[in-house]
Amino acid sequence: MKADQRVLISGGGPVGLFCALLLGRQGIPVRLFDVNDELQADPRAATTHPATLEVLGKAGLVEDMARVGLTAPLFQFWDRPSRELVAQFDLALLAKDTAYPYVIQCEQFKTSKILMSRLIDMPNVEILFGHELTGIEQKSDRVTASVRTKTGEEKHDGSYLIGADGGRSTVRKQAEIAFEGFTWAERFLVLTTTFDFNARLGYSYRNYFADPDEWCNCFKVAADGPPGLWRTVFPADANASEADLMSDEAVHARLQKFFPGETYDIVHRNLYTIHQRVASTFRKGRVLLAGDSAHLNNSIGGMGLNGGLQDAENLAEKLTQVLNGGPDNLLDLYSLQRRTVSIEFVQAQSIANKKQLETREPVARKQTLDDLARTAADPVKAREYLLRSSMLSMQTRAAAITLNEAA
Ligand SMILES: Cc1cc2nc3c(=O)[nH]c(=O)nc-3n(C[C@H](O)[C@H](O)[C@H](O)COP(=O)(O)OP(=O)(O)OC[C@H]3O[C@@H](n4cnc5c(N)ncnc54)[C@H](O)[C@@H]3O)c2cc1C
């Protein structure tokens, strides 16, 4: 592979790093830029679904993730006002469908560290921190990235540029690719506590609470090792100020109101603006988008990073073929496959997940919870539900999409 076939990547989050690893292992020269001086200590994603574990398993990463994360086959839905368990799903039902009938709760900074540990010794992969991509220029045979460093401006040529630079992607904006969709009025407040919801209240490692007044998600993560930490996610009033929402008084009152009568040690508090958006294309000439730069969704169901890692595998495989003389329209196929499933599955499912928890109207609410209970109680229906929530059916659908669908 010649140096002029070098692939540039903007963004050293988990998606950019995974692209770099997969391309680097094919002997392709890769140069990755990240604006930060080191890997982000990012607490956002944790849940890694079976479909993504299959992708990461092929790359030899799952054992390390399991070692530093938590393996969780079960998840539960609760009716918060009555405090009743509505439904429990066991991913073991997928034992014949996947080698990974569970999720691994692995915080995304740990996934990034694992990826970095593999990249560090690869002579054909350069990881350049403190490099901010500021502009792009496309020619028929190359793409040029303008990059700002502490010592000045630089230009870097590549055969292709992957924008894995997150939701505010400079690459996407520079390529003038629309980011279609909407932003939710409410934000999501994440409070992380040492309180052990499993030991005290019997919750599984992944819990969804339906509540017409204030839904909640509650998850366990391994953190620095036993006993681990629990993350709670709540909707935050669109009109309240960040200072009010994040004050000691407010965050303690929030946990007390939801899970009364306990004492909570809150170790992190984060507030996120939440979007449902998909780029109008994941490919424009020599520019390709993957991960959050291509799609954003609310975090209920934990699908954002999963989708991004799946993009990375799909893209790396096709880009390798193109660089080895394969047809250029494989990159159009990448865009079509990943954009279609992003809309049909991740957008649709994450919006439905949110609605399931927040529905207020009593008849519709009862219907939703009854449906969930019936689905969980019926092994055939539960398997279908799990194939979707674990993103396995999404991957099957993506693989079946051909360019004829675009016609
Ligand atoms: C509360 C919350 C919980 C979540 N939970 C889950 C979950 O359980 N499961 C799941 O799948 N997803 C989850 N997500 C979504 C997940 O966090 C994102 O999908 C994921 O971070 C996307 O990874 P990425 O590599 O595409 O982008 P990012 O992680 O945003 O990385 C982008 C990188 O690009 C760099 N960058 C940006 N601009 C430039 C530039 N101009 N030049 C150079 N570098 C640049 C940044 O420094 C950063 O390192 C959650 C999100 C939130 C908010």
Side-chain angles (χ1 to χ4, degrees):
M1 192 75 51
K2 294 188 230 133
D4 63 5
Q5 288 187 313
R6 173 176 292 115
V7 173
L8 306 177
I9 300 176
S10 181
V15 173
L17 295 172
F18 194 40
C19 287
L21 181 70
L22 295 176
L23 292 168
R25 281 182 174 168
Q26 296 303 319
I28 294 166
V30 175
R31 186 171 288 164
L32 180 149
F33 312 108
D34 197 285
V35 61
N36 292 328
D37 291 332
E38 56 187 358
L39 288 182
Q40 269 186 300
D42 207 326
R44 283 177 288 166
T47 303
T48 313
H49 289 291
T52 316
L53 293 174
E54 289 188 355
V55 167
L56 297 167
K58 277 186 253 163
L61 301 166
V62 171
E63 278 178 17
D64 279 0
M65 290 176 70
R67 192 173 42 75
V68 295
L70 294 172
T71 299
L74 300 180
F75 60 100
Q76 297 174 334
F77 284 89
W78 296 81
D79 176 30
R80 197 232 158 191
S82 69
R83 299 185 161 266
E84 278 174 17
L85 178 65
V86 174
Q88 172 167 292
F89 289 92
D90 187 345
L91 283 151
L93 267 182
L94 300 182
K96 291 198 177 122
D97 300 287
T98 176
Y100 304 97
Y102 44 79
V103 306
I104 294 181
Q105 299 281 101
C106 180
E107 299 95 313
Q108 75 181 65
F109 65 89
K110 293 181 181 170
T111 307
S112 291
K113 268 193 198 166
I114 293 168
L115 287 163
M116 201 60 191
S117 71
R118 307 294 204 274
L119 285 163
I120 209 84
D121 294 326
M122 294 179 73
N124 55 328
V125 178
E126 299 164 86
I127 307 283
L128 305 178
F129 286 107
H131 283 61
E132 179 187 7
L133 181 138
T134 54
I136 58 177
E137 196 188 338
Q138 292 206 56
K139 296 262 165 59
S140 61
D141 62 339
R142 66 181 186 278
V143 54
T144 304
S146 303
V147 174
R148 187 182 297 139
T149 72
K150 287 193 180 77
T151 52
E153 303 288 327
E154 298 173 356
K155 300 261 188 210
H156 296 261
D157 284 342
S159 56
Y160 290 90
L161 166 67
I162 299 175
D165 50 349
R168 294 182 188 151
S169 173
T170 304
V171 173
R172 189 188 63 239
K173 290 175 193 156
Q174 285 279 321
E176 297 182 344
I177 297 173
F179 208 24
E180 295 159 350
F182 65 92
T183 300
W184 294 100
E186 70 270 41
R187 287 156 290 171
F188 282 13
L189 175 68
V190 182
L191 303 177
T192 305
T193 171
T194 54
F195 181 79
D196 188 340
F197 288 95
N198 177 259
R200 294 289 292 277
L201 301 169
Y203 297 152
S204 69
Y205 286 0
R206 293 171 63 211
N207 309 280
Y208 299 93
F209 295 86
D211 185 343
D213 294 329
E214 186 190 58
W215 56 262
C216 176
N217 299 171
C218 176
F219 303 98
K220 186 168 186 181
V221 290
D224 296 328
L229 294 172
W230 289 77
R231 281 198 204 150
T232 55
V233 187
F234 299 94
D237 183 349
N239 300 313
S241 73
E242 182 164 345
D244 284 348
L245 290 167
M246 302 285 261
S247 71
D248 282 350
E249 203 186 346
V251 295
H252 282 283
R254 175 91 64 158
L255 282 171
Q256 278 301 332
K257 180 175 163 241
F258 209 90
F259 308 102
E262 310 288 347
T263 305
Y264 300 97
D265 176 24
I266 299 172
V267 294
H268 301 296
R269 52 192 88 174
N270 300 88
L271 193 59
Y272 297 95
T273 301
I274 303 295
H275 313 268
Q276 303 285 161
R277 291 184 188 274
V278 180
S280 57
T281 177
F282 290 10
R283 188 252 168 120
K284 195 162 180 184
R286 293 180 173 274
V287 171
L288 300 145
L289 301 179
D292 274 18
S293 71
H295 43 73
L296 289 173
N297 56 277
N298 82 68
S299 60
I300 304 172
M303 293 184 161
L305 177 55
N306 280 270
L309 294 169
Q310 294 165 19
D311 294 344
E313 187 205 39
N314 189 315
L315 174 56
E317 196 249 327
K318 292 183 170 68
L319 187 51
T320 301
Q321 286 190 53
V322 171
L323 289 169
N324 284 318
D328 172 82
N329 68 5
L330 280 171
L331 298 176
D332 298 326
L333 183 60
Y334 160 71
S335 176
L336 183 67
Q337 288 181 334
R338 295 308 305 171
R339 185 170 181 276
T340 303
V341 294
S342 193
I343 293 168
E344 286 181 358
F345 283 76
V346 178
Q347 294 298 315
Q349 188 71 48
S350 58
I351 292 170
N353 288 347
K354 182 168 178 290
K355 200 167 162 209
Q356 206 167 40
L357 300 186
E358 71 189 6
T359 298
R360 282 169 183 264
E361 200 282 311
V363 176
R365 185 168 189 277
K366 182 171 181 322
Q367 173 83 46
T368 301
L369 299 186
D370 287 352
D371 282 351
L372 263 175
R374 265 195 298 272
T375 303
D378 175 339
V380 176
K381 283 189 184 157
R383 178 175 162 269
E384 273 165 28
Y385 179 91
L386 289 169
L387 284 172
R388 192 172 170 91
S389 69
S390 65
M391 303 173 91
L392 287 164
S393 46
M394 166 169 162
Q395 288 283 72
T396 308
R397 165 81 175 120
I401 295 172
T402 65
L403 283 173
N404 294 336
E405 275 199 36

